[in-house]
Amino acid sequence: MQDASFHAQVVVPAEATATGQRFVVRVSNFGMLAVMALENPGVHGDEEFRAR
């Protein structure tokens, strides 16, 4: 959800998951939309910028 506002974000720590990976759920302000990501949605690392 780039450049979109969101109502809430829930971070589930790796210790609480069966896979050992944390995940993030964001709920949009606009309708019934949610995004689940294994990393921080909207946060870009140096590797992504170098690849462009």
Side-chain angles (χ1 to χ4, degrees):
M1 277 191 263
Q2 183 177 357
D3 299 332
S5 62
F6 58 93
H7 179 70
Q9 174 172 298
V10 177
V11 178
V12 180
E15 298 81 26
T17 67
T19 62
Q21 289 188 306
R22 78 180 203 124
F23 67 91
V24 178
V25 178
R26 279 191 180 174
V27 181
S28 173
N29 283 340
F30 306 104
M32 296 174 51
L33 175 65
V35 173
M36 187 182 102
L38 293 177
E39 299 180 9
N40 282 338
V43 176
H44 305 285
D46 291 338
E47 291 178 14
E48 290 178 284
F49 286 114
R50 281 191 291 263
R52 292 181 182 187

